Amino acid sequence: MTVELENLLALLTQIVFLVVAGSTLVNWLVFRNRARFDIALIFLPLALAILAQNLQRLFPGWETLLALVFFLALLSHPHLLLRVAQYFRPVPVVVRRASLVSLLLIVVSLPLAETAPLAVFTPAIGYFMVVEAYAGILFVRGAMNLGGVVHRRLRLASLGAGLLVLVFMLALGMVLYSAGNEPSPTARTIVNSSIQVIATLSGLCYYFGFSPPRWLRHSWQLRELHRFLQQASKRREYSRRAVFEELANGAMRTVGAAAVVAAAWNAEKEHLNIELPGDPPLQLEDIETELQVNGWDWREKEARIERLPGRIGAGLNRWAERVGARTLVLIPVKGSIQPWGMLIIALRHAPLFAQDDLDLLSLLAEQSANLLDHAALLSELREANLSLEKEVAERKQAEEKFRGLLESAPDAIVVVNARGVVQLINSQTEKMFGYDRAEIVGQPVEVLAPRRFRKSHARHREDYMVEHPTRPMGIGLDLFGLRKNGSEFPVEISLSPMKTEEGLLISAAIRDVTQRKLIEADVQKLNEDLHQRAAQLEAANRELESFSYSVSHDLRAPLRGIDGFSMALLEDYGDRLPPEARDYLNRVRGAAQRMAELIDDLLNLSRLTRAKLQPRFINLSQMVGEIANALRERQPQRQVEFAIMPDLMAEADPNLIRIALENLLNNAWKFTSKRERAVIEFGQKSRAKERTFFVRDNGAGFDMIYADKLFGVFQRLHSDNDFPGTGVGLATVQRIIKIHGGRVWAEAAEDKGATFYFTLNGEQDG
């Protein structure tokens, strides 16, 4: 039973190591890279040793040769394991050479095994233990410096090496003990069984370390992913830089990178920008071109490992040389929304488990891209929410503003839908119609119209809905509203359509025009009275015109007779009359002539009242010059200086304004008659709000106390002996200026001259 157990354990151990050797060999044949070849090379000698051991039983004649093969294959395992350790930990040259020299010395000493087996096998087992233990320690240190799936695989590999060292320690102990003593069968069985069990465990550790099944690698990857996501969840933000920093930290921890560079994709410029430059920093303007030297497009291809010096740009090669990297791992970060960028990971060694590194880094990059996609979508969602909140706030504000305007409107506002149902009213509607808001809203709008108009209103409303223009309602018709108490009142209604999400709404602005109707009736009555009075005034004007004709005809004839007969007396009997009588007759003639002038002036003044204004643009300066020339021709002996401002234009009736200017200039001419050197000016006042013209003289002037009497009919401030006149001229001027919509006034001082100002049509001073 004991022998059968030993054989079973030995068979199990052999099967485990053969499986490990077979799986590593298959991996190398599938992927064909150096790391997998070196791993397969570790276990092929062990498989060869197992085969040699079993072949000894089948071929007894070859026992010595097969034993030699077994021994050499077994001893080569630790040296080959040392080669694999160089992938993640540098092995000093002296150690590698010492291992190789020791192995060669043991091989050379093998012929002495028959004569001195203890002297040969003891150093051989010691060599195996020392080199295997040293390699196991390197695996442990590598596991401590690396993370991810590689960390777990190296830990298992180091455990396998340690267990194998323990196997050889037990074997060495048994050899040394057997050299002096004969162990009991039980002790031998226990030791042999222990060796087989430990060797089996070592094989299993090697299997899970160097050729783990897919499900186990996937489980390790999920644990690393969970750890990565836990670290990422501690960040307060998921900006591109923050996610790239977390991904770079994960890459450093997973593969023990010498440096990590993160490049972010700028979608607008379609360019890669360096986000994390690494240490030492990578400084390249066009990193994408550097990566496309070997035809690899990071946006379309998967992650890859580039051994250096590789087929990449010179800039990347120089940076890798500064880092001391032997390998670059290129990991694209591509999301479902857009490509986000990529990682460039510099390794000082070739990765031992390259596919595991690529799978894990690609998984981390994929989750990072998902985080960035999520952050981008979340940002868009926040912006959409902010926009929606702003829109809701604006709509609420607009609604409040609309309701405020609705309530502050002076008219009653009624809003109805396409079916004529009241949707909204304001407080003025409640006051105007006497209804509460709840009584009106939801009711047909026809409840606000008198019953006799409701059917026709419904038809007109349906017709209006077809085109719904903005217009007054019931043009040319008298509209009426109906209050809650049944009373009617006249209204005006303006209709305005409003397109809303709920459909077409019609806003009706209703105004109570009761007071306006009353005022219109009063105005109409006043207009009728005015027309009647205008007719009476026209009749009076006709009578006045007839009277004026009578005056001009009936009064002038006697005056001409008085003047004529007086002149005849003077001519025929003047020499017979005493001087006093002739003086009386001259006075009679003068009075008759003044009376005729007065009648003419009054008639002219009355005609001005009925004159029709015909304004046009005229040159006042030119007109004043013509009047001045006429005055000089009338009295050429006088020395009068005229100062006329040139080209003063105005809009006025030429005939009427000439009469006004003649009167003003005649006055100035008359009242300067006693000056040796008279000066008369015509111009425009400067710095005035309205255009103001003036006529100024240096004549007799007057006292401003009497200025209010100046423009009255028959009002004179000087005696007729000093300055003759009728007292109608300035009244005529005032009448003409008022007809033009202007005003006239005077400023003067006694014996210092006078200035007469006038405006026309309220013209502004330009």
Side-chain angles (χ1 to χ4, degrees):
M1 183 66 181
T2 302
V3 175
E4 291 178 357
L5 179 61
E6 288 184 19
N7 293 334
L8 180 62
L9 290 174
L11 179 61
L12 181 61
T13 302
Q14 292 175 3
I15 291 173
V16 169
F17 277 98
L18 287 174
V19 168
V20 174
S23 62
T24 55
L25 180 61
V26 170
N27 283 337
W28 172 68
L29 292 174
V30 172
F31 294 100
R32 294 283 184 172
N33 60 49
R34 181 177 175 181
R36 293 181 185 274
F37 174 75
D38 288 340
I39 292 173
L41 203 59
I42 297 174
F43 298 102
L44 287 177
L46 293 179
L48 183 60
I50 293 171
L51 291 175
Q53 186 179 13
N54 286 284
L55 288 174
Q56 287 179 7
R57 299 170 187 170
L58 298 176
F59 303 99
W62 292 7
E63 184 176 355
T64 303
L65 178 61
L66 291 173
L68 180 62
V69 171
F70 168 79
F71 197 67
L72 289 175
L74 194 62
L75 288 178
S76 65
H77 172 77
H79 183 73
L80 295 174
L81 190 64
L82 198 63
R83 280 169 48 87
V84 172
Q86 293 184 100
Y87 279 90
F88 48 86
R89 294 294 299 179
V91 179
V93 177
V94 64
V95 174
R96 285 181 287 158
R97 289 179 178 176
S99 172
L100 184 59
V101 169
S102 299
L103 179 60
L104 292 175
L105 290 175
I106 292 172
V107 171
V108 171
S109 65
L110 283 178
L112 303 175
E114 293 183 1
T115 57
L118 193 61
V120 174
F121 292 127
T122 300
I125 294 174
Y127 162 79
F128 189 99
M129 290 169 53
V130 170
V131 176
E132 187 83 7
Y134 183 80
I137 292 171
L138 292 180
F139 275 86
V140 171
R141 295 180 65 183
M144 293 172 62
N145 293 330
L146 298 176
V149 177
V150 177
H151 169 76
R152 289 175 170 80
R153 293 182 67 170
L154 291 180
R155 284 175 56 188
L156 287 170
S158 64
L159 183 58
L163 291 173
L164 202 57
V165 170
L166 182 58
V167 167
F168 276 82
M169 287 179 65
L170 291 174
L172 180 60
M174 179 62 71
V175 169
L176 294 177
Y177 182 81
S178 299
N181 303 290
E182 180 66 25
S184 64
T186 303
R188 185 182 296 276
T189 300
I190 292 173
V191 171
N192 289 337
S193 298
S194 299
I195 288 174
Q196 296 300 330
V197 170
I198 295 172
T200 301
L201 293 175
S202 173
L204 290 174
C205 289
Y206 274 136
Y207 171 69
F208 290 123
F210 287 105
S211 185
R214 183 179 297 274
W215 62 267
L216 185 58
R217 291 203 304 270
H218 185 63
S219 174
W220 290 337
Q221 289 172 359
L222 290 180
R223 289 185 182 181
E224 286 300 316
L225 177 61
H226 179 69
R227 181 181 178 185
F228 171 77
L229 293 177
Q230 277 188 325
Q231 289 294 117
S233 65
K234 295 178 182 178
R235 290 187 175 268
R236 296 183 178 180
E237 60 172 352
Y238 290 117
S239 65
R240 189 181 311 198
R241 185 178 185 85
V243 173
F244 275 156
E245 285 178 352
E246 194 60 43
L247 181 58
N249 292 336
M252 293 283 286
R253 182 177 62 251
T254 300
V255 297
V260 178
V261 173
W265 175 247
N266 188 326
E268 293 182 359
K269 297 182 179 180
E270 294 189 350
H271 183 72
L272 276 173
N273 299 322
I274 294 179
E275 187 78 22
L276 302 175
D279 185 21
L282 174 62
Q283 297 176 344
L284 287 176
E285 293 184 1
D286 192 0
I287 190 171
E288 196 168 8
T289 302
E290 293 277 327
L291 294 170
Q292 288 180 342
V293 171
N294 58 2
W296 181 73
D297 188 347
W298 68 275
R299 286 170 292 180
E300 298 178 0
K301 301 297 180 65
E302 300 300 324
R304 64 172 293 157
I305 293 176
E306 187 71 28
R307 299 186 184 277
L308 300 177
R311 295 172 297 171
I312 56 176
L316 269 178
N317 269 316
R318 285 194 298 270
W319 174 75
E321 187 177 350
R322 289 171 58 200
V323 175
R326 294 172 56 191
T327 306
L328 291 182
V329 182
L330 308 177
I331 307 294
V333 183
K334 299 179 293 186
S336 58
I337 297 178
Q338 67 172 64
W340 293 103
M342 66 173 303
L343 283 189
I344 302 174
I345 304 169
L347 302 178
R348 291 194 175 94
H349 54 79
L352 179 60
F353 307 117
Q355 193 59 45
D356 284 342
D357 290 338
L358 285 180
D359 290 344
L360 181 57
L361 290 173
S362 297
L363 186 61
L364 298 184
E366 180 182 351
Q367 292 303 315
S368 299
N370 290 339
L371 288 176
L372 291 172
D373 285 345
H374 175 74
L377 292 174
L378 187 61
S379 177
E380 291 180 5
L381 182 61
R382 286 174 180 170
E383 290 180 3
N385 285 338
L386 289 175
S387 177
L388 183 60
E389 289 175 1
K390 183 179 179 182
E391 183 179 348
V392 169
E394 289 176 351
R395 183 172 295 185
K396 185 177 180 181
Q397 185 178 3
E399 184 177 345
E400 291 176 355
K401 184 177 181 181
F402 172 74
R403 290 185 178 275
L405 292 173
L406 191 69
E407 292 300 325
S408 62
D411 297 330
I413 304 296
V414 178
V415 179
V416 302
N417 61 15
R419 293 180 288 107
V421 177
V422 177
Q423 304 294 307
L424 187 67
I425 66 171
N426 65 349
S427 57
Q428 289 296 329
T429 306
E430 294 178 298
K431 294 177 183 178
M432 186 178 294
F433 289 91
Y435 287 98
D436 290 334
R437 202 172 298 240
E439 295 177 291
I440 295 294
V441 175
Q443 297 296 321
V445 70
E446 282 77 18
V447 299
L448 302 178
R451 293 184 181 276
R452 63 183 181 278
F453 298 124
R454 290 180 180 177
K455 290 184 178 180
S456 60
H457 180 273
R459 290 196 303 271
H460 292 316
R461 174 172 51 77
E462 292 174 358
D463 294 338
Y464 176 82
M465 290 297 177
V466 177
E467 296 184 358
H468 48 268
T470 300
R471 63 169 176 80
M473 176 179 168
I475 299 174
L477 301 176
D478 290 330
L479 304 178
F480 294 90
L482 180 65
R483 296 189 180 94
K484 183 178 180 180
N485 60 14
S487 61
E488 297 183 9
F489 60 99
V491 295
E492 276 187 355
I493 303 176
S494 295
L495 302 177
S496 300
M498 297 185 297
K499 293 183 178 180
T500 67
E501 296 178 356
E502 300 173 356
L504 181 66
L505 298 178
I506 305 299
S507 172
I510 306 172
R511 179 170 296 179
D512 185 349
V513 294
T514 302
Q515 292 298 323
R516 197 181 74 189
K517 291 291 185 181
L518 295 175
I519 293 172
E520 287 177 354
D522 292 341
V523 170
Q524 185 176 1
K525 184 178 180 182
L526 289 174
N527 285 335
E528 291 174 356
D529 293 343
L530 184 60
H531 286 308
Q532 185 178 0
R533 291 184 182 182
Q536 293 174 353
L537 182 59
E538 187 176 355
N541 284 334
R542 285 196 297 270
E543 292 177 1
L544 180 60
E545 188 175 354
S546 177
F547 171 74
S548 298
Y549 177 78
S550 298
V551 168
S552 65
H553 184 272
D554 297 340
L555 292 183
R556 281 181 178 179
L559 287 175
R560 283 196 300 270
I562 293 171
D563 184 45
F565 285 118
S566 297
M567 185 177 65
L569 283 173
L570 287 172
E571 290 178 352
D572 295 340
Y573 303 102
D575 54 347
R576 302 177 188 179
L577 295 175
E580 186 177 359
R582 287 196 298 272
D583 181 57
Y584 288 156
L585 287 173
N586 285 327
R587 288 187 181 185
V588 169
R589 286 196 66 199
Q593 290 173 359
R594 284 195 300 276
M595 185 65 179
E597 290 177 2
L598 185 59
I599 290 171
D600 289 339
D601 289 343
L602 287 174
L603 288 174
N604 290 333
L605 185 61
S606 67
R607 290 192 189 100
L608 290 176
T609 306
R610 301 190 303 275
K612 185 177 181 181
L613 199 65
Q614 296 179 342
R616 61 185 177 88
F617 281 100
I618 55 176
N619 191 326
L620 296 181
S621 300
Q622 182 179 348
M623 187 176 288
V624 169
E626 294 171 356
I627 298 170
N629 291 334
L631 291 172
R632 285 195 184 100
E633 290 175 0
R634 189 188 308 167
Q635 291 180 297
Q637 73 279 6
R638 286 192 58 184
Q639 298 294 321
V640 179
E641 178 186 350
F642 280 92
I644 303 171
M645 187 178 293
D647 297 327
L648 293 179
M649 306 296 293
E651 186 179 10
D653 187 299
N655 295 325
L656 294 179
I657 202 66
R658 178 178 284 275
I659 294 172
L661 290 173
E662 285 177 346
N663 276 284
L664 290 174
L665 291 170
N666 281 333
N667 270 0
W669 182 272
K670 177 171 61 177
F671 287 106
T672 57
S673 60
K674 296 182 180 181
R675 299 291 187 192
E676 291 184 3
R677 184 172 181 79
V679 178
I680 299 174
E681 298 179 54
F682 173 73
Q684 178 178 318
K685 190 176 181 181
S686 61
R687 298 181 182 178
K689 293 183 179 179
E690 55 184 346
R691 293 189 69 191
T692 304
F693 304 98
F694 65 85
V695 175
R696 180 179 293 125
D697 64 67
N698 62 343
F702 58 87
D703 192 341
M704 286 296 291
I705 296 175
Y706 306 106
D708 57 337
K709 299 179 180 180
L710 195 61
F711 297 98
V713 181
F714 304 134
Q715 296 293 328
R716 303 189 75 250
L717 303 183
H718 299 84
S719 68
D720 194 54
N721 292 329
D722 293 333
F723 302 102
T726 61
V728 180
L730 290 179
T732 302
V733 171
Q734 187 183 51
R735 186 72 55 85
I736 292 172
I737 297 302
K738 283 187 176 181
I739 290 173
H740 282 81
R743 59 193 182 94
V744 61
W745 69 97
E747 294 177 358
E750 286 186 300
D751 201 36
K752 292 184 179 180
T755 303
F756 286 84
Y757 299 96
F758 66 92
T759 63
L760 297 171
N761 300 322
E763 292 187 357
Q764 298 297 315
D765 187 6

